[in-house]
Amino acid sequence: MKLTEFIRDRLTAYLIYAITWALVLVFLIAFQVPAEAIIIVSILVLLGVTAAELWAFLRKKGYYDKLTSDLSQLDKKYLLSEMLDEPEFLDGRILYSTICEADKSMCEHIAEYRRESSDFREYIELWVHEIKLPVAGLQLMCHNDGNTRYSEQLRRIDEYIENVLYYARSGSAEKDYIIKPVLLKRIFGDVAVRNRGELQERGISLSTSDLEYEVMTDGKWLSFILGQLMSNSLKYEATEITVTGEDFADRTVLNFRDNGIGIPVSDLPHIFEKSFTGENGRTHTKSTGMGLYIVKKLCDRLGHAVEASSVQGEFTEIAIIFGRNELYRFE
Amino acid sequence: MKILIIEDDSALRDELALLLKNAGYETECVTDFASAVVQMKSSSADLILLDINLPEVNGETLLQDFRRQSSTPVIMLTSRTSELDEVLSMSYGADDFITKPYNPTILLLRISAVLKRSAKTGTSQTYHDAEVSTVKGSLTRGSSEQILTKNEMIIFQLLLDRIGEIVTRDELMTALWDNDEFVNDNALSVNISRLRGKLAELGYPDAIETRKKQGYVLK
């Protein structure tokens, strides 16, 4: 709060003072009060008004300056009311009680939504575990009956179910992952085995090299992420998939490369955005634009970077970068 | 070999039992989960398949309880894809952890791997009068020795484990992929014909018989 701002705000009041004083002066002159007396009275009144205004300015300045600096330092602005003390002046008290009440209602509102969203998430998790039982049952029945006709469709159903589960997980505030050393080779092996049927049916060759590195991550989440990349390669006409690991002093990089149709340059910066389908999503298989979005969100939560490079008609390469934060090991 | 199945979904339990029966195992099912641990302890099973989500009890607690008294191998089955469950189960002494829905062939491979590990007494396997060394990756008969590649060894192992029975190409492929050998159809044929050649060198011609549209049988 600046003095100039305060004065500008009080300008009307000063105008009224000035007019009143002018009228008083006319009155005093009309009553032939001596000039000395008029000057002394004027100075006294001026001093009095100035002192009163200064006092009003200072008590407000102290309060509002603290308020604005608290507000700018707060990460969650709506917690402001927790930092404030009740002021002594009237308009401040009104403001204070208004802020408190508005905040309280806001917090209740948020809490309600949070509860609803966490209930929903819990239900999704539960539902996913339930739906997996009949899927597992059907898969066994197919195998026991020697009928492999349906297994590919069952695999697809399972993949879509996992999408829902990880979408729910990617947005939740709960920490439901465990970071521990995981061998890249083991995770990729799981993903490859799960997709073997479709890979072989389409004659896609798979080669890996240098996957003997351990990275700090959650195995299940990484397995889902790689599954998504694999499913994209399958969708976009790859015939060769190459997965390589690279180890640097401060990071390990997993490169997932295919020779599919690639991504147009104009689409490349947007592929991790929610619901972005781009040219490939329109001209090729129907795309929901969720796969890579979930991948990016999961990577963000796990603290991995993910980058894409591509030349249309030649290749697409997605790199997942695992930082080697030694702190993790001691946690 | 007898396997104890502790799974509350009855459809899944029955199919699982059928799968194992077809694969040549004896099975026993638990249906009263409150007394599951008693049955686990009194059972003469060689391996236990244990579901984590059970009514009345939690599979992990059950495992912890059971491990205090027995070292019978346990494979955990779950529909919860969470690293936490896996870490917990393994720390409580599970021998493997498989998430549903599982590939039946992989489940069988894992079961046989766990059984083999627990039965390991140091004696090496033999095929007729040849000695099989998985450590050296070799087959020795008298003074002649053949070195098998990793792929050939995986194939030979699977055929040997089920000697006299048909092993499908799909099963062989699954076993190879499960060991991070992402071979294609042609490579499998090449590997099998090389393996045949090596067996013939040792004096076992026509050891691997091809059953049209079914698979292979090791004689």
Side-chain angles (χ1 to χ4, degrees):
Chain A
M1 198 183 209
K2 282 186 205 147
L3 187 60
T4 48
E5 288 170 336
F6 180 78
I7 290 173
R8 202 173 304 141
D9 187 55
R10 300 277 296 159
L11 220 51
T12 320
Y14 299 155
L15 210 63
I16 295 170
Y17 287 158
I19 292 168
T20 314
W21 189 239
L23 290 173
V24 169
L25 278 183
V26 171
F27 217 59
L28 290 177
I29 290 165
F31 277 85
Q32 293 175 338
V33 176
E36 292 85 355
I38 293 177
I39 293 170
I40 289 169
V41 168
S42 298
I43 291 172
L44 281 178
V45 169
L46 190 67
L47 279 177
V49 168
T50 312
E53 285 297 307
L54 214 58
W55 172 73
F57 169 69
L58 287 177
R59 76 199 291 225
K60 287 190 181 175
K61 180 181 166 59
Y63 186 73
Y64 286 114
D65 279 356
K66 180 173 177 297
L67 184 138
T68 40
S69 88
D70 283 351
L71 189 64
S72 65
Q73 279 167 23
L74 268 176
D75 171 34
K76 296 192 169 74
K77 309 273 187 219
Y78 60 87
L79 292 175
L80 181 68
S81 65
E82 305 292 323
M83 312 270 298
L84 289 183
D85 294 323
E86 187 167 0
E88 286 158 13
F89 49 96
L90 179 67
D91 49 348
R93 281 208 299 274
I94 295 172
L95 177 74
Y96 175 78
S97 67
T98 311
I99 290 180
C100 285
E101 203 165 310
D103 254 18
K104 194 164 160 261
S105 136
M106 172 77 176
C107 287
E108 279 165 8
H109 208 55
I110 291 177
E112 196 184 311
Y113 277 113
R114 191 170 287 159
R115 208 165 35 242
E116 270 175 28
S117 112
S118 102
D119 278 356
F120 186 65
R121 200 201 98 123
E122 257 169 50
Y123 175 64
I124 290 281
E125 288 250 353
L126 198 70
W127 180 85
V128 164
H129 304 142
E130 279 173 340
I131 195 79
K132 282 198 173 211
L133 296 178
V135 174
L138 276 173
Q139 212 163 44
L140 282 174
M141 284 176 193
C142 283
H143 185 89
N144 287 340
D145 295 349
N147 186 342
T148 52
R149 232 168 76 85
Y150 308 126
S151 25
E152 184 48 38
Q153 300 306 313
L154 282 171
R155 192 197 62 78
R156 282 180 64 192
I157 291 176
D158 188 46
E159 192 185 310
Y160 291 137
I161 293 171
E162 292 268 292
N163 275 9
V164 170
L165 177 66
Y166 280 93
Y167 178 60
R169 283 181 178 174
S170 73
S172 103
E174 284 146 70
K175 183 179 178 295
D176 46 14
Y177 49 87
I178 299 183
I179 304 276
K180 66 179 185 73
V182 168
L183 195 62
L184 283 177
K185 190 175 176 168
R186 186 179 74 84
I187 303 296
F188 184 73
D190 282 352
V191 176
V193 169
R194 252 189 291 140
N195 289 281
R196 186 179 68 86
E198 198 162 353
L199 286 168
Q200 286 195 324
E201 203 167 288
R202 303 205 192 177
I204 298 170
S205 72
L206 193 59
S207 54
T208 59
S209 61
D210 300 323
L211 293 184
E212 302 285 350
Y213 300 119
E214 267 191 352
V215 296
M216 300 300 288
T217 189
D218 179 287
K220 294 284 181 300
W221 286 36
L222 182 61
S223 160
F224 172 81
I225 290 169
L226 295 181
Q228 282 297 310
L229 301 183
M230 179 84 84
S231 126
N232 277 349
S233 297
L234 289 170
K235 245 188 245 169
Y236 299 117
E237 298 167 26
T239 53
E240 271 175 48
I241 296 174
T242 317
V243 184
T244 47
E246 268 181 291
D247 204 32
F248 300 95
D250 58 338
R251 65 194 192 278
T252 305
V253 180
L254 179 75
N255 295 304
F256 194 103
R257 187 187 175 106
D258 70 45
N259 66 344
I261 57 171
I263 302 165
V265 183
S266 56
D267 285 354
L268 203 52
H270 306 292
I271 56 167
F272 294 115
E273 288 168 16
K274 188 175 181 179
S275 306
F276 180 79
T277 50
E279 196 183 308
N280 292 346
R282 285 191 295 275
T283 52
H284 284 72
T285 343
K286 205 168 57 183
S287 152
T288 54
M290 290 302 281
L292 286 178
Y293 168 71
I294 300 176
V295 163
K296 171 86 171 104
K297 278 192 91 175
L298 292 176
C299 282
D300 285 349
R301 290 200 63 199
L302 291 171
H304 310 326
V306 54
E307 287 166 6
S309 52
S310 176
V311 170
Q312 208 175 1
E314 285 180 31
F315 74 91
T316 305
E317 181 167 299
I318 307 279
I320 299 174
I321 299 134
F322 306 90
R324 189 157 319 121
N325 188 350
E326 293 295 327
L327 276 176
Y328 274 138
R329 289 179 196 269
F330 301 111
E331 260 172 10
Chain B
M1 288 286 191
K2 187 159 145 195
I3 297 177
L4 183 69
I5 303 172
I6 308 178
E7 159 70 65
D8 64 317
D9 188 274
S10 61
L12 206 50
R13 183 172 61 225
D14 296 345
E15 290 301 323
L16 208 48
L18 184 61
L19 173 79
L20 295 173
K21 210 172 286 170
N22 290 343
Y25 296 105
E26 241 184 280
T27 59
E28 185 185 333
C29 295
V30 171
T31 44
D32 175 15
F33 301 101
S35 66
V37 77
V38 180
Q39 210 172 333
M40 280 167 86
K41 284 169 187 166
S42 63
S43 162
S44 59
D46 300 283
L47 183 137
I48 296 171
L49 292 179
L50 178 58
D51 185 19
I52 290 186
N53 277 36
L54 292 169
E56 295 167 70
V57 286
N58 174 291
E60 283 155 353
T61 328
L62 213 58
L63 171 68
Q64 208 177 8
D65 224 21
F66 177 67
R67 265 288 169 267
R68 288 201 195 101
Q69 293 180 35
S70 167
S71 61
T72 305
V74 174
I75 296 181
M76 302 298 278
L77 301 176
T78 178
S79 58
R80 288 202 291 214
T81 15
S82 132
E83 194 78 7
L84 180 67
D85 281 322
E86 180 160 350
V87 171
L88 266 184
S89 298
M90 296 314 254
S91 76
Y92 289 160
D95 295 80
D96 207 342
F97 183 94
I98 297 173
T99 39
K100 298 171 197 167
Y102 26 73
N103 176 326
T105 313
I106 291 184
L107 179 66
L108 292 175
L109 285 171
R110 297 280 168 85
I111 288 176
S112 101
V114 168
L115 282 173
K116 217 179 276 175
R117 233 185 297 152
S118 77
K120 200 149 234 174
T121 47
T123 56
S124 55
Q125 265 181 303
T126 54
Y127 169 64
H128 295 297
D129 48 352
E131 202 172 304
V132 184
S133 165
T134 39
V135 188
K136 285 191 335 198
S138 65
L139 275 174
T140 321
R141 183 189 197 188
S143 57
S144 53
E145 184 187 59
Q146 284 289 331
I147 302 293
L148 301 189
T149 63
K150 185 183 168 197
N151 289 356
E152 289 160 5
M153 199 60 186
I154 294 167
I155 295 168
F156 186 68
Q157 266 293 330
L158 193 57
L159 290 169
L160 184 61
D161 286 345
R162 290 165 50 189
I163 191 160
E165 291 170 34
I166 297 173
V167 178
T168 64
R169 280 181 73 87
D170 191 64
E171 285 170 319
L172 290 171
M173 205 67 113
T174 308
L176 286 165
W177 279 54
D178 201 32
N179 282 288
D180 300 317
E181 295 296 327
F182 311 122
V183 299
N184 58 24
D185 242 25
N186 288 337
L188 177 62
S189 305
V190 171
N191 275 305
I192 286 184
S193 71
R194 285 214 189 107
L195 182 60
R196 276 193 175 122
K198 287 179 182 176
L199 288 169
E201 289 274 326
L202 284 175
Y204 306 115
D206 307 319
I208 302 174
E209 187 185 311
T210 307
R211 293 283 172 85
K212 255 239 157 80
K213 294 221 162 134
Q214 294 188 74
Y216 302 94
V217 177
L218 183 70
K219 291 189 293 184

